[in-house]
């Protein structure tokens, strides 16, 4: 979905979005029930917990205090095109502030953050309807707004 602004190679080389510390577990992707069932069948060793309708991976923090997504392999995501919506749109996030839905950009993705703002804004226009629609259908994915996240699209709730 993001290959227009983020190459698969750059993404695979970085992997910052697939590793979590205790402070950024809120960023873990939501897994819809159909995908959770598929993962449970193919990978019964992967632990997930319900968060409402959806699930999230239970983090396994190593000695370094970091938890990698259990779907992360040496070649990238084991889920391929079936990866959760949160992962398909990252570093974009859907957030809310008061009565507004915001499409924001995570500042930790250096590749995208280093692009000209005009290019990011142009691209966000192309994907904003899809993100807002997904948020409408899956309100669990909406996060509270964080001040450091630049906003690229806004809609009233």
């Amino acid at each position: 979905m993001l290959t227009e602004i983020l190459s698969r190679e750059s993404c695979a080389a970085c992997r910052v979005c697939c590793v979590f510390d205790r402070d950024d577990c809120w960023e873990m992707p939501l897994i819809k029930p159909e995908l959770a069932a598929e993962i449970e069948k193919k990978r019964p060793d992967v632990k997930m917990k319900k968060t409402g309708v959806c699930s999230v991976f239970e983090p396994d923090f190593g000695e370094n205090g970091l938890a990698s997504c259990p779907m992360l392999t040496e070649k990238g995501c084991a889920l391929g095109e079936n990866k959760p919506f949160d992962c398909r749109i990252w570093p974009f996030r859907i957030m809310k502030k008061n009565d507004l839905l915001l499409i924001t950009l995570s500042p930790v993705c250096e590749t995208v953050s280093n692009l000209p703002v005009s290019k990011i804004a142009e691209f966000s226009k192309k994907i904003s309807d899809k993100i807002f629609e997904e948020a409408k259908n899956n309100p669990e994915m909406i996060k509270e707004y964080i001040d450091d996240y630049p906003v690229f699209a806004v809609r009233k709730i």
Side-chain angles (χ1 to χ4, degrees):
M1 181 178 224
L2 298 176
T3 55
E4 187 177 320
I5 61 167
L6 181 61
S7 73
R8 293 182 199 278
E9 297 78 23
S10 294
C11 196
C14 174
R15 300 175 181 210
V16 71
C17 60
C18 303
V19 179
F20 307 91
D21 64 26
R22 295 185 192 282
D23 292 332
D24 63 12
C25 281
W26 66 271
E27 282 269 29
M28 294 185 83
L30 288 179
I31 304 160
K32 291 183 183 178
E34 309 80 37
L35 180 57
E38 184 180 318
I39 292 169
E40 286 173 353
K41 187 188 307 181
K42 292 180 180 177
R43 294 279 312 272
D45 60 308
V46 172
K47 295 181 177 112
M48 291 182 272
K49 63 181 176 182
K50 294 284 256 177
T51 60
V53 174
C54 296
S55 300
V56 294
F57 295 118
E58 286 194 37
D60 180 14
F61 295 102
E63 290 179 17
N64 61 1
L66 299 175
S68 294
C69 175
M71 297 294 107
L72 181 61
T73 71
E74 305 217 348
K75 295 181 180 180
C77 182
L79 298 173
E81 295 301 316
N82 292 326
K83 66 180 80 170
F85 190 78
D86 286 332
C87 300
R88 286 186 276 141
I89 65 166
W90 201 89
F92 290 96
R93 281 281 166 256
I94 183 78
M95 296 180 158
K96 70 177 177 176
K97 184 172 184 175
N98 302 321
D99 65 341
L100 300 175
L101 282 180
L102 313 168
I103 296 177
T104 66
L105 183 71
S106 173
V108 301
C109 179
E110 290 183 17
T111 302
V112 175
S113 293
N114 287 331
L115 292 173
V117 172
S118 59
K119 185 168 184 158
I120 299 169
E122 182 182 312
F123 181 76
S124 70
K125 284 181 190 176
K126 293 180 184 179
I127 64 169
S128 63
D129 285 342
K130 187 172 185 140
I131 294 173
F132 284 127
E133 184 65 25
E134 186 71 19
K136 178 181 169 188
N137 295 332
N138 296 290
E140 283 182 76
M141 74 180 289
I142 302 169
K143 316 289 190 202
E144 288 296 321
Y145 179 66
I146 296 175
D147 288 334
D148 293 347
Y149 280 48
V151 176
F152 283 90
V154 178
R155 282 215 181 136
K156 276 211 171 260
I157 295 177

